[in-house]
Amino acid sequence: MSKLIPLSEAISKFMQDGESLYAAGFTHLIPFAAGHEIIRQGKRDLELARATPDLIYDQMVAAGCAKKITFSYMGNPGVGSLRIVRGAIERGEIEWEEYSHFGMISCLQAGAAGLPFMPIMPTGATDLEKANSRIKRVVDPYSGNELIAVPALNPDVAIIHVQRADINGNSHLWGIIGEQKEAAFAAEKVIVTAEEIVDESVIRSDPNRTLIPGFIVDAVCHVPHACHPSYAQGYYDRDNAFYMGWDEISKSQESVQSWLDEWVYGTRDHAEYWEKLGKEKHKNLEVEELLSAPINYGKY
């Protein structure tokens, strides 16, 4: 049976108030469209987890969706701080939990493997241990050496954006690969958004690119341009001007609210949001075709 449904329905059905969310993607394939839909639907008291919160969580915190954020690096990439998330943490308005990049991914790996924690080698980041009581010291039973242990992360919902998927959720992604696979296998529910919905034969033609198998996916949604202002390798470029502009917008609550009113609450869905950006912006974000070399998989 097809798992293909509209994004609004997927968020309404599979994302509930008070749940934990991991919106995956590293540098590109960041699921902004899903984040905006969560804002539109007024979801509240969410625990947001993400290795690099990016602007997607700045916007969700600004909209009042979050009660906690778990992260490693936090910032507006290449620009500066995430003003809204940082301000909310400093004022004590939301809870927070911080790890190193490797520590955060290790939390997901433990969750995906069904383990209660993941041991990692000690690092120089001892201040993180002081700030995060969930990071523990354990003894390697084989060598007697001291190790770091980080707890399993099992989000209620993982949202993964991919370049293409079939109607059952079997998904191809390429370019810079982040923690999408680990987040999907660690989560209780998985929502996939895709640039294209393709026939199953397309997915089967390149099995090594299927990082998200359909059997762990609850819903798949056709959402072209879902990553803006992030990018999707091979489909459209990163909107660097937006990232620069957000730094200015996020300086005041009034300008942030004005942006949310116009671009999120004021648009029916992501298709309308993309259309509102205009043809000139669309043209600026176009990418040229650059195909990989063909692969002969032989008989299967």
Side-chain angles (χ1 to χ4, degrees):
M1 186 170 61
S2 172
K3 298 176 181 178
L4 183 63
I5 60 175
L7 178 59
S8 58
E9 182 181 341
I11 296 301
S12 175
K13 183 176 181 180
F14 296 109
M15 182 86 256
Q16 306 303 320
D17 289 353
E19 290 190 324
S20 56
L21 167 69
Y22 201 105
F26 183 74
T27 303
H28 76 140
L29 300 180
I30 301 174
F32 275 90
H36 292 170
E37 185 58 35
I38 288 170
I39 293 172
R40 283 190 197 94
Q41 294 192 18
K43 302 297 183 182
R44 290 293 182 266
D45 296 323
L46 303 180
E47 296 185 17
L48 305 179
R50 184 177 155 80
T52 54
D54 205 271
L55 306 191
I56 186 173
Y57 282 178
D58 221 27
Q59 293 169 1
M60 292 176 70
V61 169
C65 298
K67 70 175 181 182
K68 180 180 179 179
I69 185 163
T70 301
F71 63 96
S72 49
Y73 167 80
M74 182 175 67
N76 181 340
V79 180
S81 180
L82 281 181
R83 297 180 186 277
I84 297 165
V85 175
R86 178 173 178 171
I89 289 173
E90 290 176 342
R91 292 189 298 271
E93 295 171 355
I94 60 173
E95 302 169 43
W96 59 282
E97 196 172 306
E98 184 177 5
Y99 296 90
S100 67
H101 270 333
F102 187 66
M104 185 77 168
I105 304 309
S106 296
C107 291
L108 283 174
Q109 289 177 325
L115 298 171
F117 66 91
M118 183 65 69
I120 61 177
M121 295 297 291
T123 70
T126 53
D127 281 353
L128 278 177
E129 296 177 59
K130 298 174 185 176
N132 185 349
S133 62
R134 302 198 74 203
I135 301 174
K136 306 291 186 182
R137 293 266 176 163
V138 296
V139 175
D140 176 359
Y142 299 101
S143 69
N145 294 330
E146 196 169 52
L147 299 173
I148 298 294
V150 293
L153 177 56
N154 291 103
D156 292 307
V157 182
I159 299 177
I160 316 292
H161 187 71
V162 302
Q163 278 99 334
R164 60 193 182 200
D166 64 22
I167 61 173
N168 296 310
N170 298 295
S171 304
H172 280 177
L173 57 153
W174 59 88
I176 298 175
I177 304 300
E179 73 282 53
Q180 293 97 326
K181 181 179 179 180
E182 290 81 2
F185 274 90
E188 294 295 322
K189 296 169 284 185
V190 177
I191 299 171
V192 165
T193 59
E195 293 293 326
E196 293 184 83
I197 301 298
V198 298
D199 189 78
E200 183 181 289
S201 62
V202 176
I203 301 298
R204 287 182 175 272
S205 73
D206 195 355
N208 287 356
R209 214 177 296 275
T210 310
L211 295 192
I212 310 297
F215 67 82
I216 65 169
V217 174
D218 293 278
V220 59
C221 312
H222 184 210
V223 193
H225 314 110
C227 302
H228 181 270
S230 171
Y231 71 103
Q233 187 78 46
Y235 289 78
Y236 46 92
D237 205 353
R238 187 178 191 266
D239 191 348
N240 292 315
F242 187 98
Y243 280 84
M244 296 291 290
W246 183 258
D247 187 58
E248 190 64 31
I249 290 170
S250 62
K251 286 181 179 179
S252 77
Q253 183 177 347
E254 292 74 21
S255 58
V256 170
Q257 189 60 51
S258 177
W259 186 88
L260 289 171
D261 288 342
E262 179 178 0
W263 290 95
V264 181
Y265 300 119
T267 55
R268 181 176 61 255
D269 53 24
H270 192 74
E272 189 171 308
Y273 166 95
W274 178 255
E275 188 66 26
K276 183 177 172 63
L277 286 171
K279 296 186 184 304
E280 183 177 353
K281 176 65 74 175
H282 299 170
K283 183 69 176 177
N284 290 341
L285 298 179
E286 286 182 358
V287 293
E288 296 181 1
E289 188 176 76
L290 181 61
L291 299 177
S292 65
I295 297 172
N296 181 7
Y297 280 112
K299 184 179 181 181
Y300 68 92

